[in-house]
Amino acid sequence: MRIDVEGGRIIAVTADSPRTGTILAGLTLPGFANGHSHAFHRALRGRTHHERGTFWTWRERMYALAARLDPDTYYRLARGVYAEMVLGGYTSVGEFHYLHHAPGGKPYADPNAMGEALRQAAADAGIRLTLLDTCYLAGGIGVEPDEVQQRFSDGSASAWASRVAAIEEGELFRVGSAIHSVRAVPADQLSLVDSKRVVHVHLSEQRAENEQCQAAYGRTPTELLDDRGVLTERLVAVHATHLTTSDIDRLSGARACFCPTTERDLGDGIGPARALRDAGVRLSVGSDSNAVVDAFEETRALELDDRLASEERGRFSAEELLEAGTDHAAIGWDEVGALAEGAGADFVTVALDSVRTAGIEPSGVVFAASGSDVRHVVVAGREVVRDGTHLLVDRPETVLAKEIEALWPS
């Protein structure tokens, strides 16, 4: 197959062509989309495994990390994280961004300095970025933000919207919106969070969220979003773990983003992926806390976790899994995700001769390969990874080690 690229787009795909130009040896697939990321959580990897508890106890450790970041440290950390993502097969990422202000909630001189740090980090790592700028106003239903959460809050949804309106998009940079959760955005502010692209929301990630929402509003989080006019085809429900049958029906036509490796790491539970898909909900996946950054592991986990929940195999076809793993439209890149004329020129080439992939049927690559088998990555027609080496960030592992060790001084 010959893929001709011009101006960041595929202009032709031709079978049975002579081998000329750049040779991509292996199985070439559309680039994977990371639908949900918190880049700074990467600094927690391998540092919380000894702790017992729940998501809520883990969150205290995460807040301690958030309190230490500034635009410079965030840029350096995120550049390493985004380089790791490209090496792992991702060509776009949706960054669920709520770390907006300086400690105490004081805006930086540039109110979007933290978002700018992420934009620059993604540009330098060669990955498409959708900044899912997140409205986060409360510390819980009816609870004021605590000292750390003040960094997340703009005070009101209208103030949040004014700040976001000043962010300019670029060639590989787009802006979406996010509601952190029904815990963090009061019901009367939900409908004010909008976007010309997509709106993401943490939805029913924890049973406690459902219980608090039911107690405060007499509704499930999904019902509340629906009542407030937020549940549209542009909504992406992140996690969607603890849903009722009625919730699943209401989400028909929207999207759900599962983050299996994080949901597993935090002990969140296993969401109803197959039931959502059967109800007409389009699925995508994300690395969330970045406890694991591997497009293949995240994508196949959609099937493997559903096997555990259902005690059945073959819950998703390989085609359905790849459709979920390459759903760039979930983060506002509608033109990316196919090896076809007119599509954005994002593709990943996977080795079929590694110890993991030797002898497999190519259609089973999502079950056999890992991020370590990614040999070449092209983003918008630009080669970013060649022979397993990142061409823009020298030794990302060294970058990450240096920045994370500085954030956690002994």
Side-chain angles (χ1 to χ4, degrees):
M1 301 295 293
R2 176 185 173 90
I3 302 174
D4 289 300
V5 174
E6 185 177 288
R9 297 263 186 161
I10 296 172
I11 59 173
V13 180
T14 311
D16 302 319
S17 295
R19 283 181 168 247
T20 60
T22 301
I23 305 300
L24 303 176
L27 177 65
T28 297
L29 305 165
F32 286 81
N34 187 343
H36 186 73
S37 164
H38 301 290
F40 76 91
H41 291 188
R42 170 63 178 83
L44 293 166
R45 184 190 298 175
R47 292 177 177 269
T48 63
H49 58 281
H50 58 283
E51 299 171 355
R52 299 192 62 143
T54 65
F55 164 85
W56 304 99
T57 50
W58 170 88
R59 191 179 74 158
E60 294 308 310
R61 182 86 158 159
M62 182 267 285
Y63 279 179
L65 170 63
R68 299 175 182 177
L69 290 163
D70 60 33
D72 291 335
T73 57
Y74 205 8
Y75 160 74
R76 294 193 297 268
L77 174 62
R79 186 173 71 110
V81 176
Y82 292 151
E84 182 183 8
M85 288 181 189
V86 179
L87 287 166
Y90 295 113
T91 63
S92 72
V93 56
E95 183 65 33
F96 200 95
H97 169 56
Y98 55 80
L99 188 51
H100 301 307
H101 306 299
K106 181 179 179 181
Y108 289 102
D110 173 2
N112 288 302
M114 294 295 269
E116 172 61 21
L118 293 167
R119 186 201 65 77
Q120 190 61 54
D124 290 350
I127 193 170
R128 296 179 191 265
L129 173 66
T130 301
L131 188 72
L132 299 167
D133 200 288
T134 304
C135 186
Y136 193 133
L137 305 175
I141 298 175
V143 179
E144 291 296 315
D146 65 20
E147 183 178 356
V148 175
Q149 292 166 337
Q150 288 171 2
R151 297 194 70 178
F152 311 158
S153 177
D154 289 292
S156 69
S158 59
W160 164 85
S162 295
R163 179 180 53 74
V164 176
I167 304 174
E168 295 184 3
E169 296 189 335
E171 180 184 5
L172 298 182
F173 175 65
R174 291 180 178 172
V175 180
S177 299
I179 296 165
H180 179 272
S181 60
V182 298
R183 293 181 295 102
V185 178
D188 62 356
Q189 302 274 294
L190 289 170
S191 62
L192 301 178
V193 182
D194 202 0
S195 169
K196 64 181 180 181
R197 298 194 185 279
V198 290
V199 179
H200 287 227
V201 58
H202 288 140
L203 184 69
S204 292
E205 180 181 4
Q206 298 290 325
R207 295 185 191 277
E209 174 187 317
N210 289 356
E211 294 164 0
Q212 292 165 16
C213 188
Q214 193 73 45
Y217 303 116
R219 294 167 174 80
T220 69
T222 301
E223 289 170 341
L224 182 62
L225 294 179
D226 198 8
D227 290 350
R228 297 291 170 164
V230 180
L231 210 171
T232 71
E233 64 180 11
R234 292 185 295 111
L235 186 78
V236 181
V238 181
H239 302 303
T241 307
H242 302 288
L243 301 178
T244 67
T245 301
S246 175
D247 290 339
I248 293 171
D249 291 339
R250 286 174 184 260
L251 286 165
S252 180
R255 280 183 162 87
C257 181
F258 278 53
C259 305
T261 63
T262 290
E263 291 149 8
R264 191 186 303 163
D265 182 60
L266 297 180
D268 285 346
I270 299 172
R274 185 68 256 178
L276 284 164
R277 184 70 171 79
D278 290 342
V281 179
R282 292 161 291 181
L283 300 182
S284 56
V285 294
S287 65
D288 194 355
S289 69
N290 297 301
V292 176
V293 173
D294 184 322
F296 293 94
E297 174 63 20
E298 211 71 62
T299 303
R300 66 170 158 261
L302 196 65
E303 158 76 13
L304 298 179
D305 284 2
D306 212 70
R307 289 182 185 182
L308 288 174
S310 67
E311 300 181 42
E312 294 180 356
R313 302 181 77 247
R315 302 290 290 171
F316 292 90
S317 68
E319 290 77 13
E320 286 176 318
L321 291 177
L322 285 172
E323 179 183 310
T326 60
D327 185 10
H328 298 261
I331 50 175
W333 298 94
D334 298 48
E335 73 275 29
V336 183
L339 298 182
E341 184 178 342
D346 288 24
F347 33 92
V348 171
T349 301
V350 188
L352 292 180
D353 57 0
S354 76
V355 293
R356 289 165 293 278
T357 60
I360 70 167
E361 295 180 1
S363 62
V365 67
V366 72
F367 289 101
S370 77
S372 299
D373 298 312
V374 173
R375 306 312 303 152
H376 308 287
V377 178
V378 173
V379 180
R382 179 191 192 187
E383 193 176 17
V384 182
V385 173
R386 180 189 304 147
D387 296 325
T389 298
H390 201 290
L391 301 180
L392 307 181
V393 179
D394 185 38
R395 298 185 63 83
E397 66 276 15
T398 302
V399 172
L400 286 166
K402 178 181 178 181
E403 296 308 321
I404 292 171
E405 287 169 6
L407 287 167
W408 298 113
S410 56

